[in-house]
Each structure stands twice: as C-alpha cells, then as structure tokens.
Amino acid sequence: MFHRFRRKKVQPLVIPEITETLPQSPHQHHSATLPSNADVQRNSTNLSTYNILPNNSRNSSFERHRRERSIERQGDPQGLNVLYEPPEGSPTVDIIFVHGLGGTSQKTWSRNRDLDFFWPREWLPFEPGFTQARILSFGYNAHFAAHGRENILNITDFARDLLYGMKYGLNQQSQELDIGKVPVIFVAHSMGGLVVKKAMILSRNDDQYQQTMGSAHAILFLSTPHRGYPSEVSKPLDADHHNVCKFTSQQDPNYVSVRNALKYVLPKTQVLEPPSPTSSTETEEVDMTKAKKLLTVSGAPEEDLEHLQSLWMPGSCEWILSRPVFQSWLDDESARSRLLWVYGPPGCGKSILSSFVVRQLQDMGHMCQYFFFSFGDGMKRTINLLLRSLAYQVATTIPDFRTQLEKLADDTVRLEKAEGRAIWQKLFISKLCKIRLQKPIYWIIDALDECEAPEKLLTLLSSIDSSRCPLRVMLVSRKTQGLSHACQRLESSNQVDHLNIGDAKEDMEAYAAQEIAYLRGGPEIKARVRRTIRDKASGNFLWVYLVIKEIMQCHTEAGIEEALHELPPDLEPLYERMERSLTNTLRSADRALSRRILTWVACAQRALTLEDLAEALKPEHNVLELRLTISQVCGDFVAVDSK
C-alpha cells in the first residue's frame, strides 16, 4: 500500500560493531551503513528474470514511466559480478555492493542513472587505500511491484544466491572468486541490508558457507531497516532515500563521508583462517537448537517484518515518534510494565506502522520482539504461536531465560499443541517475569483483532503488572467493542494508554501527492484531485490506493471530473463498483474462473501459494499464467505477494 516518495531528508550512515552477530574470525568485525550497486564483467549467479507484459490499461504517463524503468532494470546484470581487480598481486579485501528494493546492480549507484557516475567502478578503485581492493556488485530481481509475470522470489532466496555467488562464483577469466580468503566489506542500500543480514543468518546453519561469510569484516548500511549494535557509529547524509547512494562528484560531501567510512573499516590483515569449531557463535547455535526443540519455531517472523518494511514509504510513520503518549510509553524509565493500545480503521496502514516501530526500537538498541497476526493464515491467528515466537525471540537476547528453556527442553516438555494459558504460565509467569532486568523488553503485537481470541490474550497480559522485568507491550488493531471492553477491564490492574491513529493523515496525503504527480493534466486538475481525495478518504489508505488507480485510467479531464464526482465514500460501495466493472468486462468463461479463484482464496484455512491454487483449479481450469490471470480476472480483490 505504501510506495516510495522522494522527499529531502537526512539519512543515517551507521557503523556498528557486529562481532557478536557474525561467525568468529581472526579479524575485528565492524558494521556500517552506505549505498550499494555496481557494474558487471561476468555474471556467475544469475537469478531468473521475468518479462514485463503489456497491459491495455497502461495508457497514462505514470504507467509509461513504470514500463521504462522496468525495461531499464532488465538491462542491468544480476548475480555477483567483478567491477575491479587489483592490477598487481592478490586483493587484500573484497568490497561487495548490494542494492535495495526497486534498484539494480548499476543504476542504484549512478547519479541520474548515468554510468559515468557509477562510483563503485569509476571512482572508488582509484582512491588512496583502495587500489588493492577487489570490488564486486550483487544484483537480484528486486522489483516486486512489476506487472505481469511478477517476481516470486523473496529475501531468503536473494540471500541464498548471494552466498552461492560468494562460494562458487567465477571472475571474467572463469577463475574462482575464492571469497572468504580475505576480509569482506558489504555496502548495502535499503533492502540490500536485509539481504546481507539474512545471508549471515543462513550461513550459521550451513557448514559450506560458514568460512565464506565468516570473512565478513564490516557492513555499511545505507537507509536499511536495521537493529543497532553496541559501539555503533552513525553519520547523517543530506539526501533522500533514492539519492543517498548517488553522488554528483568525488567532491560531493556525501561521497566523501561514504568513502571515509569505507576507508576507516578497511582491514589491515589479509588472510583469514577457517573459524574455530568451538566458536561462541556455534555454541550459541547449540543453545538455540534446544530452544527450537522446545518451542518448535525456527526463529522470529522475519519474513513478515521484511515484507512490511519493503512496503514502507520513506518519511512515513515518523509522526508517531512525536506523539506524547507514544513517547511516554517508550521513554518510561521506571520498572513497571505498561501497555499501549494503538487503534485505527481498516486500511489506514497499521501494520506498516508496526513494522516501522519495530525498526525504530531495534535501531535504538532496545530488546524488541514482535508478531503479526494474520486472518488469512490459520496458524498465525493462534495465541499458542504468538507466545512460542515471543519466547524464542526473548531467548536469543536474555541468556538467563534461554537457560530456563534449555532445562525445559531437557525435560522433554513439548509446547506445540499446548493451550495458550499453559504456555503463558510455564514460560512467562514462572520464568521470564521472575528475571530482574534493568531495561525494559518491548513487544509489538500487530493485528490483535485478527487473533482467534483477542480478549483471552488481553486477560493473559493482565498479569504483567507483577513482572520483575519491565514489559512494554504495544497492541495494534482495529477498535472493536470487544477489545474496548477488554482494555477497560485490563486498566483495573495495569497502565494502559490509548493512541487513535485514525486522524493521522500525513502519510496518506504524501502518498496521494506522489502518485497524482504522474496524472495527465495540468496543475489545476491535479490539485482538485488531491483535495477531493483528501476530503473523502477518511484516513483509509486502501481507499486512496484503489481510487487513484481508477483515476489514473481516465483519458480526459471530463473523465477525471466524472470519476471524482462518483467516488464512493467508503470501501463497500467501492468494492461493489469494482465487482460490476469486472462482471461487465469479463467473458463468461473468465467470470466462472474468477468466481472459482475467489471462492478458494476466501475459504482457505491459510494463505495459498500459486501452486496450491493451480492444483485446486484443475481439471476444469488449466491456467497458463496464473499470476497474470489472477490480476486480470480478479482485479484488486486478490493480491499475490513476493512470498
């Protein structure tokens, strides 16, 4: 729902220590924040590409712009590619650039997409101190929003491809890259930082990649959703999210800052040895293996978080940081536990806001755990999974709690099918709440109203008032009568603050302004469209998205005026209008297929994969391009995400 908009803002350049997060190596580990993207000489690990198919409705300048960018993305190389190798001797360090969402391996790092400004290849290798560095770029299909045959890969797939390229990649002369023999510095922009971090996590459990990723010496994150590390160094850059990794010249102050940060973390040692088999990282993995055995979860719901953060629009959601009730909940230094109920109407961006708060807490160095309920997935509606997931996340940061879980695992306790109250009592009341901590633990629980029994969960949370470790719980949901009554009862024993976000229109107006800029017509008609949408939106982001999409299909100012006049005031009549439009434009056979798809999606106990749906439609419907077909016969009633 949220899209990028290019607004002038200061972006952070982070240089944190990451020794505890990477496999041990003889090198000191650092971490930082910068751009990512580069050129190509040989592509050793290409991911699959997809074609951008023409669509009859793409007749606006907005759609032409998107098509041009899609074609441009296809021209940049994917996989791991060498940009520069030292002319004499072996490299002393590898620097790998990883681009972000919607970016490519070259244009992300090139001002105005001009390769003369492709600084990882044109400038950096010739800076003092970098002549013995080998410079590479990693490209992947990061355009999730493309029309037609969309990308079905996700961050985990991109991370695996990065690891494969580092381990088995070849240079232009078909020689092995041998990454892992010298220290590696990653330069990651936006979602590229999530790809790098996911690769590190995956390498811990895969022997073939441990030495390769164990060579990681530093990470420079630029505008990446990022958890703060101890001794982290931050540097602001005066640029928006799009241009923070592009520079006008070698004298550009932002380029100087990036170059100096890279030079600061350049290693002095050249050759790495394999990590010790008794490293602390491996020991910690054994500990978490016991926790996994007890809790039967494999980790935090990172894919849900990464998906939502990839939809975040730069500059959006920041208003919550200045709300007094949120500040009080966040900054309370007392030892008491507190709850904050954040509520708003459907479609106002609550889940995006939750992911933003998680990122802020992580960047501030707070202990933060999170969970996203989902009505469309039966497993993600249960209190049981919520509590097991929170317990696992807490165990990764609090050794005393992890030790308690290990003892339960040794006693062959199994919690996968236990009742929620039993898990709460056994793990939290009897264990976590008896551990005295100086700093609070933050829990972000999103879509509480999509939980199978939200009032029951609030009853469990009522006992946190006696916890020795201070808990700060943020609950995010629609405001329902049942939840309102449950929160009132909760206030008798706990401090519960309320924050209504239904009137927060800053993000919605910024999004509308960004999209309407592509509307054909003069300034007057664009201003009229903005005013009308602002006045009728009632804080509903989904309504704004659907209305703008419809207006973009108008060919004349008269057509725009007619569409504005007929705008339904809320989602229900808008859905009815969308239904009539589908019914009138689809052939009889396609209407039957549309009904069949909608029935399966609506009645499924969990979110369906494309493979699931394809099997369900057989033998009556053998669909050739299911992803494209869903878009054409179901419109905006069904969405296919990157997972």
Side-chain angles (χ1 to χ4, degrees):
M1 183 194 322
F2 286 77
H3 294 264
R4 301 181 184 280
F5 80 104
R6 299 170 184 172
R7 185 174 68 87
K8 188 85 167 180
K9 65 175 285 189
V10 174
Q11 296 288 352
L13 170 68
V14 185
I15 308 179
E17 293 285 344
I18 58 172
T19 305
E20 296 180 357
T21 67
L22 298 178
Q24 294 289 321
S25 80
H27 296 280
Q28 181 181 5
H29 288 74
H30 300 280
S31 172
T33 299
L34 294 192
S36 69
N37 204 326
D39 191 36
V40 54
Q41 295 175 359
R42 183 186 190 281
N43 186 344
S44 59
T45 56
N46 283 335
L47 291 174
S48 300
T49 59
Y50 62 93
N51 296 321
I52 306 300
L53 300 181
N55 186 309
N56 293 333
S57 65
R58 296 185 187 176
N59 44 30
S60 68
S61 60
F62 172 68
E63 294 296 346
R64 286 197 301 272
H65 170 78
R66 296 174 75 169
R67 282 201 301 272
E68 291 169 0
R69 294 299 305 277
S70 296
I71 294 171
E72 184 178 79
R73 287 184 182 95
Q74 296 178 40
D76 271 9
Q78 296 185 9
L80 195 59
N81 301 276
V82 178
L83 307 179
Y84 170 86
E85 290 193 90
E88 297 181 1
S90 300
T92 59
V93 63
D94 286 324
I95 303 176
I96 301 176
F97 288 79
V98 186
H99 65 81
L101 182 69
T104 63
S105 61
Q106 299 181 44
K107 300 301 194 308
T108 288
W109 313 103
S110 305
R111 189 76 176 184
N112 297 324
R113 300 189 290 279
D114 184 346
L115 293 183
D116 288 340
F117 293 88
F118 183 28
W119 62 271
R121 183 186 63 187
E122 302 298 327
W123 304 343
L124 188 63
F126 311 105
E127 295 281 1
F130 290 90
T131 55
Q132 285 304 115
R134 179 170 56 179
I135 300 177
L136 309 95
S137 72
F138 177 69
Y140 57 96
N141 187 355
H143 189 44
F144 289 139
H147 291 280
R149 294 164 59 187
E150 296 184 6
N151 181 14
I152 62 172
L153 303 176
N154 58 32
I155 288 174
T156 299
D157 297 312
F158 303 144
R160 290 195 177 105
D161 195 64
L162 174 59
L163 288 171
Y164 185 89
M166 292 173 67
K167 178 74 173 180
Y168 301 108
L170 306 176
N171 63 12
Q172 189 176 12
Q173 291 75 38
S174 297
Q175 299 169 329
E176 293 184 358
L177 293 176
D178 278 336
I179 294 178
K181 298 295 181 64
V182 298
V184 177
I185 297 173
F186 291 99
V187 181
H189 175 235
S190 184
M191 191 180 78
L194 303 181
V195 172
V196 172
K197 292 199 285 187
K198 174 63 75 172
M200 291 180 174
I201 294 170
L202 294 174
S203 70
R204 294 176 181 174
N205 301 316
D206 195 328
D207 293 340
Q208 67 177 327
Y209 294 131
Q210 281 188 3
Q211 179 180 350
T212 302
M213 191 54 81
S215 64
H217 176 79
I219 312 175
L220 281 71
F221 296 109
L222 185 59
S223 299
T224 292
H226 168 65
R227 175 180 301 179
Y229 296 111
S231 304
E232 182 178 274
V233 179
S234 298
K235 173 70 172 70
L237 298 180
D238 186 14
D240 61 22
H241 185 84
H242 177 74
N243 289 308
V244 74
C245 52
K246 302 173 177 65
F247 311 115
T248 57
S249 71
Q250 289 177 263
Q251 289 72 46
D252 187 322
N254 287 344
Y255 173 75
V256 173
S257 296
V258 168
R259 180 202 64 197
N260 291 346
L262 272 171
K263 191 170 183 178
Y264 171 77
V265 298
L266 281 177
K268 298 178 181 179
T269 316
Q270 295 187 16
V271 181
L272 291 177
E273 298 296 332
S276 166
T278 59
S279 67
S280 60
T281 300
E282 188 170 323
T283 301
E284 179 178 322
E285 183 61 35
V286 171
D287 290 343
M288 292 314 300
T289 298
K290 291 186 177 181
K292 290 177 182 178
K293 176 183 176 182
L294 171 69
L295 301 169
T296 60
V297 294
S298 58
E302 291 180 350
E303 285 199 351
D304 292 337
L305 178 65
E306 291 164 354
H307 172 66
L308 290 168
Q309 290 182 342
S310 72
L311 300 176
W312 172 76
M313 181 177 63
S316 65
C317 303
E318 293 179 352
W319 50 265
I320 194 174
L321 302 177
S322 61
R323 295 295 176 92
V325 65
F326 180 82
Q327 291 177 333
S328 175
W329 173 83
L330 175 64
D331 299 332
D332 187 351
E333 296 181 355
S334 70
R336 62 179 176 174
S337 295
R338 294 180 58 169
L339 295 99
L340 172 64
W341 182 28
V342 178
Y343 56 86
C348 71
K350 297 185 293 296
S351 294
I352 303 293
L353 179 65
S354 295
S355 70
F356 172 81
V357 172
V358 170
R359 184 182 65 183
Q360 290 296 313
L361 292 170
Q362 291 175 343
D363 287 348
M364 295 169 68
H366 291 303
M367 293 182 288
C368 174
Q369 292 82 46
Y370 54 90
F371 189 83
F372 300 91
F373 283 113
S374 174
F375 183 82
D377 189 329
M379 284 299 297
K380 291 183 180 179
R381 296 188 63 204
T382 66
I383 297 175
N384 175 298
L385 181 59
L386 162 74
L387 297 179
R388 288 187 287 122
S389 177
L390 292 178
Y392 181 91
Q393 295 175 66
V394 172
T396 63
T397 58
I398 301 179
D400 288 348
F401 184 62
R402 184 164 64 245
T403 300
Q404 297 282 357
L405 296 188
E406 291 170 3
K407 293 178 180 178
L408 289 175
D410 292 338
D411 293 339
T412 66
V413 174
R414 292 294 179 271
L415 300 175
E416 184 176 8
K417 297 182 179 180
E419 197 266 338
R421 182 178 295 277
I423 298 176
W424 177 252
Q425 181 66 38
K426 185 178 292 290
L427 300 186
F428 295 93
I429 299 301
S430 301
K431 300 293 187 293
L432 179 63
C433 292
K434 293 185 178 180
I435 299 174
R436 191 176 299 278
L437 297 177
Q438 297 300 317
K439 295 183 178 181
I441 298 174
Y442 292 86
W443 289 351
I444 309 301
I445 302 175
D446 181 67
L448 176 63
D449 51 301
E450 297 185 27
C451 171
E452 62 181 1
E455 293 87 355
K456 183 177 180 180
L457 176 57
L458 291 180
T459 300
L460 297 180
L461 291 174
S462 65
S463 55
I464 67 172
D465 64 312
S466 59
S467 173
R468 291 185 178 180
C469 72
L471 295 172
R472 303 282 189 270
V473 183
M474 177 171 142
L475 305 165
V476 184
S477 72
R478 293 182 298 119
K479 187 176 184 180
T480 66
Q481 185 175 12
L483 285 176
S484 296
H485 291 162
C487 282
Q488 289 177 358
R489 291 192 294 270
L490 193 59
E491 290 171 0
S492 63
S493 57
N494 293 269
Q495 178 169 351
V496 183
D497 298 304
H498 298 240
L499 177 57
N500 181 4
I501 64 171
D503 58 350
K505 300 180 180 179
E506 299 95 326
D507 298 341
M508 182 193 66
E509 292 180 2
Y511 168 75
Q514 171 186 284
E515 298 302 304
I516 292 171
Y518 295 104
L519 181 67
R520 289 180 295 181
E524 291 185 4
I525 188 67
K526 291 181 179 180
R528 192 151 58 250
V529 171
R530 287 182 60 181
R531 286 195 303 270
T532 303
I533 289 177
R534 180 193 61 200
D535 295 341
K536 293 188 175 183
S538 301
N540 193 311
F541 224 114
L542 181 57
W543 183 91
V544 173
Y545 167 78
L546 294 172
V547 164
I548 289 179
K549 188 170 182 179
E550 183 170 329
I551 291 176
M552 285 293 186
Q553 298 177 10
C554 295
H555 301 278
T556 64
E557 287 196 5
I560 293 175
E561 294 286 1
E562 181 181 356
L564 291 175
H565 179 71
E566 296 177 354
L567 284 181
D570 51 45
L571 283 174
E572 186 170 345
L574 183 60
Y575 285 148
E576 292 174 353
R577 186 160 145 177
M578 289 164 54
E579 181 186 6
R580 287 196 300 271
S581 176
L582 276 177
T583 302
N584 294 334
T585 57
L586 293 178
R587 295 188 297 270
S588 176
D590 289 340
R591 285 198 296 271
L593 176 59
S594 176
R595 284 195 297 270
R596 187 71 178 271
I597 292 174
L598 289 170
T599 300
W600 273 106
V601 171
C603 297
Q605 292 293 311
R606 58 170 176 82
L608 298 176
T609 66
L610 289 174
E611 291 77 10
D612 293 335
L613 185 57
E615 287 299 317
L617 295 175
K618 293 177 181 178
E620 292 87 349
H621 305 281
N622 289 297
V623 182
L624 301 178
E625 290 282 353
L626 184 55
R627 182 184 290 262
L628 179 62
T629 299
I630 290 172
S631 173
Q632 292 179 342
V633 306
C634 296
D636 288 303
F637 286 109
V638 178
V640 182
D641 64 24
S642 61
K643 297 186 290 182

